[in-house]
Amino acid sequence: MPAIEAWYMATEVKDQTAENRMDPNQPVSPDELRDLGVLQWHILPKGEYPAKAVPWEPKGMQDPDLAAIRDARGYNYADIITCSEECLPDYHNKLKAFFEEHIHSDEEVRYILNGSGYFDVRDREDRWIRIALSAGDLIVLPEGIYHRFTMDSKNFTQAMRLFKGVPVWTPINRPADQHLSRQRYQQRFQPLEEERKLRASIVRVLRGFFGQGWCLGSSGACGARLGRDAWLVTPSGVPKELLEPEDLFLVSRSGEQLKMPRKAAKVSDSLTVFSAVFERRSAVAAICHIHSVAAVLAADNGDEVLRIRDCEMIKGLGVPGDGVLALPIIANKATEPELVPELLRALERWETAPAVLVRDHGAYVFGSSLEKAKIGTECLGFILDLESRRRSVEVPRPLKRRRTGAPTVVLLDIEGTTTPISFVKDRLFPYAASAVDAWVKDAPPEVAAAFKKQCQEDKVPFNDAAPQEEIVRLTKEWIAKDRKVSALKDLQGKLWKSGYERQELKGEMFEDTPEAMTGWVASGRRVAIFSSGSREAQRLIFQHSDRGDLTGFISAYFDPKSAQASKQEPKAYEEIALSMGIHPSEGLFCTDVLAEAQAASKAGWRAVLLKRPGNAPLPAHHFREVTNLMDA
């Protein structure tokens, strides 16, 4: 099917019936017309049509293709008009009126039966596009588009006009921007305008990265969401300094290429990575992929993660100034799609990581918008360059020196913070419940006294005639109810001590716990523990841990008894600060329980919340969240 020819018009029009092309000619494609809402078909007329018919029954159409379009679009009125000096009264004045710029409150539909002519339409930047029509061309102009019509030099056009409902031919001359039809027309272009701006922004961003030396050759890529179910992605093999907005691919969520560049090109291999990240992280709206020297050097340290602190620029990646920027590092592969499994595992482990480094390759930087991804990439470039220079002159890493205003004491919860909840719930508690039967036979009298005192506080009876049986019953009952009472906690500590000494128990630690403790102590900070378990139980779990004896890193242990209040009361943290000889503002408390963080904060401590595997979901809050103690 031959396409209708269209082109941008010259600025000066001396003869409206001439072609009035620009020099050189600037053609307009059918896709560009479609973006403006202009539809077209080419159907050669069959049979003879009268010179004039008002109305003309559209059911009498002799061409099945034309009839199909009529039925699909709901046209139920038609007439036939012939424009020529012989057939159209007041011909010259009518042509002047046709050429007056105007809109209609409905579609304008023309099917050329004989002859030829021009429709001119405005594009979104208010430039005139001339559309040449001849026999067989069917054109639909949308409601609200500024347009005009003129004959060509042949001065003859016979056309069928189609309409929905009762025809209204009244033109609404420009200015008509406040007319409802014009406003509806402009609204339909909001998505297209967003796409146009996003395309231009991606090109601007990548040209900037080229200037930084991060996208040399044809390396580097960018992907950005366009709505919920599509994204714009750069092509492969196009140097970024030569990239143009129309070079980008529009790809659906399912991978279908919705819009492809005019130039022969292939979509970037980064598409697979971008799509995987967009699916995994709904908040990510843009991803920048760079190949910088500093990114390659930073990833060449043998670690699984690069941690940056004491650097103002980490704020540009969404990390608080007193926080830690954690950058997962993954191994390079032969092709980018092969990176996806390991990259997704890294994002699962480091849930808030704003970027991922790839060894011997580069970096992927994520943002909630293209501008945020750009800023994040620029800040990452600065940070990695700084790290590279520090290494080259052997400047001590920031972890080895205390920051101004940094906490001098780090107070740690145990369950869900240093140690998986599953170890406490599934190993320690069941062990105490099963071990108490044998242990209680040699229990000292003070154990029964402590249990009896707690029963008096609970206002429930205690069987003095059978104290050992009561201790066993209450121990199992209180463990099942997860009660935080001193009598139980002290007994659990004794039972666990026996288990550790017999090597029936070994404290389980998160991998980052000893690493974080090492770093804190090396930087001159003190580490303390605050748990609802007894201080003896706390010391045992760290002394007999699966990471070795960690008690050498710990300066003090606190439980609710020694802190004189529960973990959810500010008084406890005030007492701990006094015991440690610090002002509360010098302390940092790490926990997985919001109420505990709130209590510490009310006492003047800083607090962070741990998101660990197995921890309960956190309600809405204002505290900083981390998935790793190294980031605290």
Side-chain angles (χ1 to χ4, degrees), residues 508-549:
E508 185 178 340
M509 297 289 146
F510 284 112
E511 183 180 349
D512 55 274
T513 297
E515 188 180 357
M517 287 182 171
T518 302
W520 289 325
V521 172
S523 64
R525 301 169 204 174
R526 289 178 291 163
V527 177
I529 306 298
F530 185 25
S531 174
S532 57
S534 69
R535 289 185 291 175
E536 175 66 9
Q538 296 172 26
R539 185 185 64 78
L540 288 168
I541 196 172
F542 289 104
Q543 181 181 2
H544 300 279
S545 87
D546 58 358
R547 306 285 174 176
D549 186 352

Side-chain angles (χ1 to χ4, degrees), residues 23-92:
D23 186 16
N25 184 45
Q26 291 189 17
V28 178
S29 69
D31 285 343
E32 290 172 298
L33 290 177
R34 192 177 301 111
D35 286 346
L36 295 173
V38 178
L39 307 179
Q40 57 163 302
W41 293 265
H42 185 79
I43 306 167
L44 287 175
K46 296 181 180 178
E48 296 294 327
Y49 292 90
K52 183 176 182 181
V54 183
W56 183 79
E57 175 55 56
K59 291 182 179 179
M61 290 179 180
Q62 301 159 27
D63 188 287
D65 292 334
L66 187 59
I69 295 171
R70 172 205 65 200
D71 295 340
R73 300 190 63 80
Y75 301 132
N76 56 8
Y77 175 95
D79 66 14
I80 296 174
I81 183 172
T82 300
C83 295
S84 67
E85 289 193 64
E86 295 78 15
C87 298
L88 186 65
D90 199 15
Y91 174 75
H92 294 287

Side-chain angles (χ1 to χ4, degrees), residues 450-464:
F451 271 68
K452 183 176 180 178
K453 181 182 178 183
Q454 184 61 50
C455 286
Q456 290 172 344
E457 292 179 8
D458 295 342
K459 297 181 179 180
V460 297
F462 181 85
N463 188 357
D464 290 306

Side-chain angles (χ1 to χ4, degrees), residues 166-477:
V166 178
V168 179
W169 307 119
T170 306
I172 304 160
N173 290 342
R174 191 168 188 173
D177 290 346
Q178 302 306 312
H179 193 279
L180 181 61
S181 293
R182 180 63 184 174
Q183 292 177 347
R184 279 201 291 254
Y185 177 74
Q186 290 175 317
Q187 287 171 0
R188 70 184 292 172
F189 293 114
Q190 287 180 350
L192 288 172
E193 184 62 20
E194 290 173 10
E195 179 182 339
R196 185 188 67 79
K197 289 180 179 179
L198 187 57
R199 285 176 177 270
S201 296
I202 290 174
V203 169
R204 171 179 56 81
V205 166
L206 288 175
R207 286 181 177 177
F209 291 169
F210 170 79
Q212 296 281 355
W214 300 340
C215 293
L216 300 180
S218 60
S219 68
C222 183
R225 287 186 192 267
L226 186 65
R228 293 180 54 191
D229 298 318
W231 27 87
L232 286 168
V233 182
T234 45
S236 176
V238 178
K240 300 306 175 283
E241 73 276 21
L242 302 179
L243 190 68
E244 296 293 343
E246 58 268 20
D247 294 334
L248 304 183
F249 286 79
L250 179 62
V251 183
S252 73
R253 192 172 193 164
S254 63
E256 179 187 358
Q257 294 181 5
L258 304 176
K259 286 185 183 177
M260 293 177 285
R262 294 184 198 171
K263 303 173 186 175
K266 130 182 203 307
V267 70
S268 171
D269 282 347
S270 298
L271 170 62
T272 308
V273 174
F274 295 163
S275 297
V277 175
F278 286 143
E279 291 292 342
R280 175 60 61 90
R281 288 187 174 181
S282 59
V284 172
I287 305 169
C288 296
H289 177 40
I290 60 170
H291 292 240
S292 69
V293 173
V296 173
L297 291 174
D300 190 26
N301 61 6
D303 296 333
E304 292 184 356
V305 63
L306 174 66
R307 294 181 177 87
I308 307 294
R309 62 176 84 228
D310 302 313
C311 181
E312 183 71 12
M313 296 293 271
I314 64 176
K315 294 179 181 178
L317 288 121
V319 179
D322 61 349
V324 179
L325 170 63
L327 300 170
I329 302 172
I330 65 174
N332 195 21
K333 302 292 182 182
T335 64
E336 280 191 77
E338 294 177 76
L339 295 174
V340 170
E342 189 176 352
L343 186 143
L344 291 181
R345 284 193 292 270
L347 294 184
E348 183 176 359
R349 182 175 179 186
W350 307 93
E351 295 178 354
T352 59
V356 172
L357 302 181
V358 184
R359 286 191 177 90
D360 304 313
H361 188 135
Y364 295 93
V365 186
F366 319 123
S368 58
S369 67
L370 178 61
E371 188 63 19
K372 290 286 181 65
K374 167 187 172 288
I375 291 172
T377 306
E378 291 171 343
C379 290
L380 181 66
F382 174 92
I383 291 165
L384 298 183
D385 187 45
L386 179 62
E387 282 294 297
S388 177
R389 295 186 188 190
R390 277 177 171 159
R391 290 180 182 181
S392 67
V393 296
E394 298 184 354
V395 175
R397 291 186 61 80
L399 188 61
K400 301 300 182 184
R401 49 189 171 83
R402 183 182 297 175
R403 296 170 287 161
T404 302
T408 60
V409 170
V410 180
L411 183 65
L412 300 173
D413 172 42
I414 295 178
E415 184 180 348
T417 300
T418 65
T419 299
I421 284 179
S422 59
F423 174 72
V424 178
K425 300 287 187 186
D426 302 338
R427 187 77 181 97
L428 287 184
F429 287 178
Y431 180 88
S434 64
V436 68
D437 293 275
W439 185 89
V440 76
K441 296 174 183 177
D442 300 317
E446 58 264 26
V447 174
F451 271 68
K452 183 176 180 178
K453 181 182 178 183
Q454 184 61 50
C455 286
Q456 290 172 344
E457 292 179 8
D458 295 342
K459 297 181 179 180
V460 297
F462 181 85
N463 188 357
D464 290 306
Q468 291 184 1
E469 289 81 354
E470 279 291 83
I471 291 172
V472 171
R473 179 183 68 82
L474 291 170
T475 296
K476 295 181 179 182
E477 178 184 313

